[in-house]
Amino acid sequence: MSEITLQDIIKPENLVYKKTSLMTDKALSYCPGCGHGTTHRLIMEVIEELGQENETIGVAPVGCSVLAYEFMNVDMQEAAHGRAPALATAIKRLWPNKVVFTYQGDGDLAAIGTAETIHACNRGERIVMVFINNGIYGMTGGQMAPTTLPGMKTATSPYGRDIATMGNPLKMTELVATLPGTYYVTRQSVQTPAAVRKARKAIKKAFQNQLDGKPGVSFIEVVSNCNSGWKMEPVQSNTWMEENMFPFYQLGDLKVDGKLIDK
Amino acid sequence: MTEEIIIAGFGGQGVLSMGKILAYSGIMQDQEVSWLPSYGPEMRGGTANVAVIVSDERISSPTLTAFDTAIILNQQSMDKFEHSVKPGGVLLYDPNGIIHHPTRKDITIYEVQGAKLAAEMGNTKIFNMVVLGAYLKVKPIVKLENVIRGLKKSLPERYHKLIPLNEDAITMGMNNVNKL
Amino acid sequence: MGELKLMKGNEALAEAAIRAGVDGYFGYPITPQSEVIEYLMAEKPFERTGMVVLQAESEVASINMLYGGGGTGKKVMTSSSSPGISLMQEGLSYLAGAEIPCVVANVVRGGPGLGDIQPAQSDYFQSVKGGGHGDYRLLVLAPSSVQEMSDFVPLAFDLAFKYRTPALIVSDGLIGQMMEKVELFDQIPRLTDEEVIKRHPWATNGKPKGGERRILTSLDLDPHKLERHNWHLQEKYKTIEENEVRFEMLHCEDAEYIIVAYGSSARIAQKSIQLAREKGIKVGLLRPITLWPFPKKPIDELTKKGVKGFLSVEMSAGQMIEDVKLVVEGRTKVEHFGRYGGVIHSPEQVLEALEQKLIGG
Ligand SMILES: Cc1ncc(C[n+]2csc(CCOP(=O)(O)OP(=O)(O)O)c2C)c(N)n1
Ligand code: SF4
Ligand SMILES: [Mg+2]
């Protein structure tokens, strides 16, 4: 029996999966099991598929994905905490034919950047906003986010989020869906292959909207895990997310082609 | 008396808490102490180190480049800190996982099989206490009774039942440190 | 003697806030000072003293919560690190203009921009020259130990209320993250509502029966009136400069050279001085404790005494050195040394700089 070498295996006809060239070769800085990496890949795959590699400008947030520009192989700007939609607004206004997106966490998009988020959505900027909701501030060591669930323990809600004093979790996606300036609003997840396929479709639709010059923001929330911040194993964090986050943050489209979906 | 120490290893080896217990022990005997950790993203699974100073006098710089003692618990830390021991100083290490052993001739080198001894005692979590015991044998800068008092101060109440185990670990370290 | 504890600088600041009788803390997480709000949330000061602790949605919100809360005469405080403090500059200008007392702590990290999360002292200009708009000053205290992180909280409140002005506590990631022995002061009771009303007649906590309403504002569209308000502020700043300068001198009696350093740099410099003296070099330390008002007088006196040079040691590209030079006015050498961007200089590097820039050069 002759020995099989690597060269025998690595052949075009055996290729079942290839990393998009729009992801750099840098090792991801995310904790193993974290949803950030998968979402990065989906965005880059879509941009590659749509042939927009040289037409795209992305805006990275402050949060665990602050280094998104290290991994996404397109032109990128790094914004101050919460301000990505303002940067993206100006980029798109000055380069209307380019593809512009922001990538933001819940602290970034729904706390410090609430004003920028609401107003970019309300003005109907023709951009894509990807919103990673992991219910916590991952980057700074697991403090409470606006999206933290009631009773959920974090570094700044060590006895659980107390609604009476800390407020309710903010459903930013429902909120922006009510604004006339949003064109497509959807909530997805990336914890299983099926979910990944769905999320990819949604991201593609969002970018296609922008390419087609559709009026308004295409807004994609990805409900994600933060195994480190939640102090769980990756698999356990996904189960916890399915059991606790999904009932509160229900998956699916909220607004399609500028029309609210009746649920 | 001023003792300037660097304790370095992997995050999760109890490097920071070992330094904290040592610092608390110093307070228990009316000394001045400082504890300065490396902080930030490098803490995620990577290396961790802490500079501890115990002194009879007001402490000047809490950040140092040369130490009286280096307690080294992994290879990266050996590479980084072997040369920061002052001439005539002490290097204490756990040979477990060390490939390039220390070579300096102008310092005194001790080893303690901390990981092995802790495993033999049936609890890998007390590893850092074994190493602390070994250190205190070499440099008895704080009294054992003050270490126990320090432990009581630094551990939450619910862990106080573990103090005898920690004490055993310290004794184990004291009895098993070898000069090379 | 107060309770002895081993604490991080950030924790000591938080515990001191509770003990100083603070009524409200409003903050937003940022490294390297998130322990402040984490400690406060874990300690449940609302149960201990009735103190309110709230995680705001941003630093812009935090500082404006201080405007509102401070305006009612209550003791209010926030803390952050460089990027967050930059966001507060607008608010600080309004607070200074409307003369509202409050305490803001900055645990400085490397910049500019997002920078990094390691210790730095590069927010000196922002702190002492007025990072916001308009002619205003902040009272700036620079702790150099965990003990001072605790002690300066009640001190900052005393000064802030005495002069009706915001006070800043400027430390850095090193002091924030380091643990040292602290002797905690005893609980200062929070003022009752009646006491607040009585002590602070300027505060807006409800128009007194039969009295005049109070207005807190930084606006005056009449330029002459606004100029008069500015004169009043300047008078106040002059009084502060006359009365509130704080500094420490170490080994200056026989010193031929002086290191001027605050905060962590002052700690590092103490070691450098020890090393220098072992080599027979006579160096002393002047440590500004208030960065504003800046200790001009001792620098002037040392200059007059004939010291051969000053070395301004700061973890910045050289900011405080400008204030040293303003006092020295060319009468003797003034040089800067410091690492920055989050790099901490070693005691040996400071000594080397002293030898090269002042003694050798
Ligand atoms: C003005 C300012 N305030 C605070 C911070 C500190 N900070 C960095 S990331 C972050 C929160 C990030 O949380 P999120 O947006 O949910 O992202 P995640 O890390 O969870 O993906 C904060 C508070 C900062 N960098 N700048
Ligand atoms: S801290 Fe949380 S959000 Fe950040 S990389 Fe780790 S798992 Fe992901
Ligand atoms: Mg988040």
Side-chain angles (χ1 to χ4, degrees), chain A residues 29-31 33-36 64 134 136 138-139 225-229, chain B residues 44:
Chain A
S29 54
Y30 304 109
C31 307
C34 170
H36 270 303
C64 278
N134 54 16
I136 205 160
M139 171 82 164
N225 60 339
C226 173
N227 32 293
S228 288
Chain B
R44 282 204 186 128

Side-chain angles (χ1 to χ4, degrees), chain A residues 199-216:
Chain A
R200 192 177 189 287
K201 248 189 171 157
I203 292 171
K204 189 164 172 200
K205 189 177 175 67
F207 279 96
Q208 191 61 56
N209 284 341
Q210 191 177 157
L211 285 174
D212 295 345
K214 296 290 194 241

Side-chain angles (χ1 to χ4, degrees), chain B residues 116-136:
Chain B
K116 200 168 140 235
L117 291 166
E120 281 168 18
M121 289 177 74
N123 189 338
T124 48
K125 287 210 174 110
I126 51 167
F127 160 73
N128 60 348
M129 290 297 104
V130 178
V131 178
L132 179 64
Y135 167 71
L136 290 176

